[in-house]
């Protein structure tokens, strides 16, 4: 059985995490090849849960939380070889347990649009984003 635990993002091995992102397919949608930016992503997240099986990193949930009201679940990734066994659900459970009063908010990757409703998420009709390159009017 895998073990989920809260870790400090800055302590993670960047190459190990980048390999997991690739193995999950999420690497296609995250800047894993920009080492400096990827390292800052790991360092800047204040709620990181890893799933390990016999020491091997098989899943991660990377979030930003205030611990009281909102948890933004930025990345959820499970190695394709271990998907559909409950790892993702356990990572979300551990994320919630770390900040029980906070609502979990996320933007789904296309590959996971059917996953989140399956595990209980409700689609929000008024979510908005502003890309770094977009003009603030
Ligand atoms: C999406 C993802 C994190 C799910 O993790 P997982 O460990 O495979 O999912 P779980 O085993 O916890 O699945 C829980 C349930 O959802 C189902 N499920 C898993 N992936 C699903 C999908 N893509 N669509 C619909 N249902 C899915 C499982 O079969 C399981 O069903 P059950 O309730 O009958 O047991 C994982 O598939 C993944 O890493 N995908 C690629 C990266 C990605 O798109 N991440 C999301 C970024 S926002």
């Amino acid at each position: 059985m895998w073990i989920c635990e809260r870790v400090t993002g800055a302590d993670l091995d960047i190459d190990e995490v980048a390999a997991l992102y690739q193995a999950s397919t999420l690497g296609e949608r995250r800047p894993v090849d920009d080492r400096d930016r990827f390292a800052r992503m790991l360092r800047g997240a204040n709620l990181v849960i890893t799933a390990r099986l016999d020491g091997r990193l098989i899943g991660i949930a990377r979030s930003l939380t205030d611990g009281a009201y909102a948890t933004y679940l930025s990345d959820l990734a499970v190695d394709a070889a271990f998907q559909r066994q409950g790892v993702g659900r356990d990572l979300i459970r551990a994320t919630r347990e770390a900040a029980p009063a906070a609502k979990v908010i996320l933007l789904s990757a296309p590959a996971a649009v059917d996953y989140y409703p399956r595990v209980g998420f409700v689609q929000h009709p008024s979510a908005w984003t502003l890309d770094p390159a977009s003009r603030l009017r």
Side-chain angles (χ1 to χ4, degrees), residues 84-128:
R84 294 185 183 252
Q85 297 176 38
V87 179
R89 190 188 270 124
D90 278 359
L91 287 165
I92 296 170
R93 184 181 292 121
T95 298
R96 292 184 87 193
E97 283 172 3
K103 179 185 289 204
V104 179
I105 302 157
L106 64 84
L107 293 173
S108 175
V113 287
D114 295 327
Y115 173 70
Y116 291 108
R118 177 71 176 258
V119 296
F121 280 72
V122 175
Q123 190 168 29
H124 200 287
S126 52
W128 305 91

Side-chain angles (χ1 to χ4, degrees), residues 4 13 19 60 73 78-79 83-84 97 121 128 131:
C4 288
D13 180 320
I60 193 167
L73 175 52
V78 175
D79 186 320
Q83 289 178 7
R84 294 185 183 252
E97 283 172 3
F121 280 72
W128 305 91
D131 284 347

Side-chain angles (χ1 to χ4, degrees), residues 3-51:
I3 294 168
C4 288
E5 65 174 352
R6 186 171 183 175
V7 299
T8 302
D11 291 344
L12 290 170
D13 180 320
I14 296 168
D15 295 324
E16 185 186 34
V17 181
L20 169 63
Y21 274 56
Q22 299 288 23
S24 78
T25 73
L26 190 61
E28 296 161 13
R29 309 183 61 81
R30 296 294 184 272
V32 287
D33 294 330
D34 183 340
R35 216 182 142 74
D36 177 64
R37 193 174 182 204
F38 194 61
R40 281 189 283 137
M41 284 167 60
L42 293 179
R43 228 175 20 241
N46 67 348
L47 174 49
V48 181
I49 309 285
T50 57

